[in-house]
Amino acid sequence: MAYLAPSEFVTKMVDAGESKLYMATRDALIRAYMAGAILALSAVFAVHCSVQTGVPLIGAILFPVGFCMLYLLGFDLLTGVLVLTPLAWLDKRPGVTLRAILKHWGVIFVGNFLGALTVAVLMAIVFTNGFQTEPSKVGMTIAGIGEARTLGYAKFGAYGMLTLFVRGMLCNWMVSTGVVGAMISTSVSGKVIAMWMPIMLFFAMAFEHSVVNMFLFPSAMLMGGHFSVLDYLIWNEIPTVLGNLVGGLSFTGLTLYTTHVKTAPKRSLKKAA
């Protein structure tokens, strides 16, 4: 598979961040909607496989299929734009402002959420036979996940919030590495392999992904999960988004940018006298 050198694919990261900011709002919203929907379906697929086999690792191995699909189709997740767009600002690309970045983040958040919510409603119909029966085993599992990853953090107070934030950081360290993975090869197989590895890791470790959670928690509430919208926002979504931002930008975006684009002066190696 064709492999690009780090200096080449990091430049592509900056270019991608710039191009996203100039995208029409309509296009950004549609791409975000489809990304949220596909990732949500992938989450259902992973939970379904884990429940059916009784082996959670199976779900983690298979979950990246949705991530690969959406990036090959050119759709956008919030976790990716949180990392790529600030690089265009740091690189002083013409017309790139913090206001434009924040506006784009807002558009992608809304699109991702609407796409994930759509799938949550559709799958709730499937899990309950049109809301005529109790949720299926997969539906009940999702409801349990929703409770465990909101009220489960809340019972530990500030320490739970710290844990949630750190899990968000670790998540987007891996997810943004997957985003970069789509840029390091020019072949489909190379892109898929490079994306698959870090995404499998984040899902297997149960780190917190803001877009996956946009599906899990509305779905859990539809399945009868005993927590509120406020619980979801305070004890998951908001800290997760912040953790995703800090982790992805610091561990992936800035490290690659500073060492492959804005490199430090080379050392002078002088021979000993």
Side-chain angles (χ1 to χ4, degrees), residues 142-172:
I142 290 174
I145 292 172
E147 289 184 21
R149 289 165 73 168
T150 49
L151 304 181
Y153 290 119
K155 70 180 182 181
F156 293 107
Y159 298 104
M161 187 67 73
L162 175 62
T163 303
L164 174 56
F165 179 79
V166 171
R167 281 189 169 184
M169 287 180 60
L170 293 169
C171 171
N172 210 25

Side-chain angles (χ1 to χ4, degrees), residues 1-135:
M1 66 182 183
Y3 169 75
L4 300 180
S7 59
E8 296 175 296
F9 69 71
V10 177
T11 300
K12 287 184 66 176
M13 290 169 61
V14 180
D15 292 341
E18 180 184 20
S19 67
K20 292 179 189 304
L21 294 172
Y22 281 100
M23 191 186 306
T25 300
R26 184 205 67 168
D27 294 338
L29 192 62
I30 292 172
R31 294 183 190 190
Y33 178 90
M34 292 306 302
I38 292 173
L39 199 70
L41 278 174
S42 188
V44 176
F45 175 55
V47 174
H48 174 83
C49 293
S50 296
V51 170
Q52 293 295 100
T53 63
V55 182
L57 183 60
I58 297 297
I61 291 171
L62 297 175
F63 172 75
V65 66
F67 184 88
C68 294
M69 287 167 57
L70 71 91
Y71 268 101
L72 290 174
L73 291 170
F75 298 142
D76 282 325
L77 292 173
L78 179 64
T79 41
V81 300
L82 288 176
V83 175
L84 298 178
T85 51
L87 297 183
W89 178 74
L90 288 172
D91 205 53
K92 296 181 172 56
R93 295 295 176 93
V96 175
T97 64
L98 291 176
R99 182 179 178 181
I101 291 172
L102 291 174
K103 178 184 175 182
H104 187 70
W105 287 357
V107 170
I108 299 301
F109 182 98
V110 170
N112 283 170
F113 183 81
L114 291 176
L117 182 62
T118 299
V119 173
V121 173
L122 294 176
M123 291 309 303
I125 294 171
V126 172
F127 292 146
T128 62
N129 291 297
F131 299 103
Q132 299 305 303
T133 63
E134 289 297 312

Side-chain angles (χ1 to χ4, degrees), residues 189-253:
S189 60
K191 289 175 182 288
V192 167
I193 293 169
M195 287 188 281
W196 204 282
M197 295 182 289
I199 302 306
M200 178 175 63
L201 191 156
F202 114 72
F203 199 87
M205 296 293 289
F207 294 152
E208 297 287 351
H209 189 285
S210 54
V211 183
V212 172
N213 293 348
M214 291 175 188
F215 160 76
L216 284 177
F217 294 93
S219 182
M221 294 181 75
L222 289 168
M223 294 298 101
H226 300 294
F227 61 95
S228 67
V229 173
L230 196 60
D231 289 329
Y232 158 60
L233 291 175
I234 293 177
W235 290 104
N236 196 284
E237 191 62 41
I238 294 173
T240 295
V241 170
L242 295 175
N244 287 170
L245 170 62
V246 173
L249 194 55
S250 59
F251 289 132
T252 304

